[in-house]
Amino acid sequence: MPKALILTGFGINCEEEFAAAYRLAGAQATIVHLNQVLHGQVSIHDFDILNFPGGFSFGDDLGSGVVLANKLRYRQTSADGRTLLDDIRQFVADGKFVLGICNGFQVLVKLGLLPNLGGDVTPEVTLTHNASGRYEDRWVTLRVNPASRTPFLKGIDKLEVPVRHGEGRLVVPDAATRAAIEASGLNCLSYVDANGDGTSEYPFNPNGADLNCAGLTDPTGQVFGLMPHPEAFLAAYNHPDWARRRRVNPAASEEGEGLRIFRNIVEHIAQRRLPHPPAPPFLDAEHPVGRGSQTDSGSATPTSIVDDVFTTTSAKWQVLKEYGRDMRKQPTPAEEVLWEALRGQKLAVKFRRQHSIDSYIVDFVTIPNKLIVEVDGEVDGEVHAEISQAEYDAGRTHTLRELGYEVLRFGNDEVLNDLDKVLTTIEEHLTQTNQTKRLRANS
Ligand SMILES: NC(=O)CC[C@H](N)C(=O)O
């Protein structure tokens, strides 16, 4: 089950609605005080989505979101000078998701995680006082930018949601930044008028935002923030016009439109499990942590891979272990079937599943026999990495072969429809390797 971490404390006040949204969407939601994270009692890396709710953090002193953003950037969380921002950057590099709503969006913008065109988390735009000079509390209509590729907004075209803020006006400082944001479709949400056209006109655009922009993503689409409150529209009955709408359309869904965003991201995470996820970007050798190879140096070369269960380095294992754990918990049907057949030494050799080898997690491996068995699933037609799955798998197989492993691949269908044939092929390969070994031993 995807896991959402929701931060609270210091004047944040929308954490309960945020958690309710995730629970309705089928995720596990945990509300945690920011200090528990800053003091190392809770690790963001144990979660899939990091969430910054709305509210009045630090009383909006120095500008909404500014103090909290500075805490994330400058508050050292460990003796080696690490900050929560370092962890968030790693979290995003690991393919995970960050969502900021209203005050949370302000935090992400003041921190520079949005839009993060330059990739170095330096503030590039800002959010400031509404053009009306007032706190605005009203319903708005948003249109999703079709150029946006963020999974949070997948399949959504229009959305009605409430805003309640004093400092929601996005200001983009120059034409170049504006062009860059537009070119990548990072301005994922805009305020629209009654005709559905983007507008700067009050009150449709409640704050006078540049680009009529109500929300931004970073270039990866994994970090998303918006001024309006989708977590405040979880039931149809939240809408001010619900009674009339129900009379007009009694069969209409009882769900609120805001819930779609949460359903989207929760489903995306649940389904995203690639048959073979891309090798995550690793921590550098300066931060080796955790368990790993006995020859652990933090930087693996093929020669450091020993014939042992420790088939990667501690730094890599630290990054891979969560993927492995998740993959063991949520096997695909084909993986489950094959595991049932391989486990418990049924083929007279011990197989491990979702095991880390160098930079990869392999589906099944018998380490003494150096045989890897992979089950290739569908990748819902998407290209998840910069390279295609096929190219990626080719590189992965090559590396594993260089490390001395034989790699057998079977399709989902083969495993599900002809398990006997799959097992016979595996057995044949095991016999071959054993024969070769015996021949070598005798010669
Ligand atoms: N609802 C909110 O999160 C409000 C954000 C911020 N305190 C503002 O007034 O702009």
Side-chain angles (χ1 to χ4, degrees), residues 54-56 60 64 101-103 106 135 164-168 227 229:
F56 297 80
D60 286 349
S64 298
I101 297 180
C102 200
N103 196 214
Q106 293 165 331
Y135 188 89
R164 34 187 206 228
H165 59 248
E167 298 179 39
M227 280 316 299
H229 288 270

Side-chain angles (χ1 to χ4, degrees), residues 97-98 148-152 186 217-224 265:
F97 297 89
V98 181
S148 168
R149 294 201 341 259
T150 180
F152 284 101
L186 306 188
T217 70
D218 75 340
T220 68
Q222 293 161 239
V223 184
F224 170 44
I265 197 63

Side-chain angles (χ1 to χ4, degrees), residues 29-178:
T30 310
I31 298 173
V32 154
H33 194 284
L34 185 70
N35 275 351
Q36 288 178 270
V37 179
L38 288 171
H39 297 170
Q41 291 148 357
V42 174
S43 166
I44 63 170
H45 302 293
D46 290 333
F47 296 84
D48 304 297
I49 323 161
L50 174 63
N51 299 280
F52 292 90
F56 297 80
S57 58
F58 298 95
D60 286 349
D61 281 355
L62 309 181
S64 298
V66 171
V67 178
L68 183 43
N70 284 343
K71 248 191 194 295
L72 300 179
R73 181 182 294 282
Y74 297 114
R75 170 68 160 78
Q76 297 186 1
T77 52
S78 64
D80 64 1
R82 226 176 144 76
T83 63
L84 200 47
L85 177 57
D86 294 328
D87 277 304
I88 296 173
R89 293 182 78 169
Q90 187 195 323
F91 187 82
V92 175
D94 290 350
K96 297 183 171 189
F97 297 89
V98 181
L99 173 57
I101 297 180
C102 200
N103 196 214
F105 178 39
Q106 293 165 331
V107 171
L108 298 179
V109 165
K110 304 288 169 168
L111 187 57
L113 266 174
L114 287 173
N116 202 13
L117 290 159
D120 56 359
V121 194
T122 303
E124 294 158 322
V125 302
T126 197
L127 286 159
T128 189
H129 296 278
N130 299 340
S132 66
R134 286 200 307 251
Y135 188 89
E136 295 291 338
D137 184 357
R138 60 179 71 255
W139 281 71
V140 295
T141 306
L142 307 177
R143 191 182 55 213
V144 175
N145 183 347
S148 168
R149 294 201 341 259
T150 180
F152 284 101
L153 296 171
K154 191 174 166 189
I156 305 177
D157 175 31
K158 269 172 83 178
L159 196 64
E160 277 191 80
V161 264
V163 295
R164 34 187 206 228
H165 59 248
E167 298 179 39
R169 176 157 64 108
L170 183 81
V171 175
V172 183
D174 53 70
T177 309
R178 189 178 314 220

Side-chain angles (χ1 to χ4, degrees), residues 328 331 333-344 346 350-354 363-365 375 415 419:
R328 278 189 292 273
E335 282 167 7
E336 205 163 316
V337 165
L338 191 52
W339 178 235
E340 275 311 310
L342 294 179
R343 68 190 303 179
K346 290 194 190 109
K350 182 175 169 56
F351 273 95
R352 297 172 178 278
R353 63 175 170 152
Q354 307 302 352
D363 287 338
F364 306 100
V365 59
V375 183
V415 174
L419 184 63

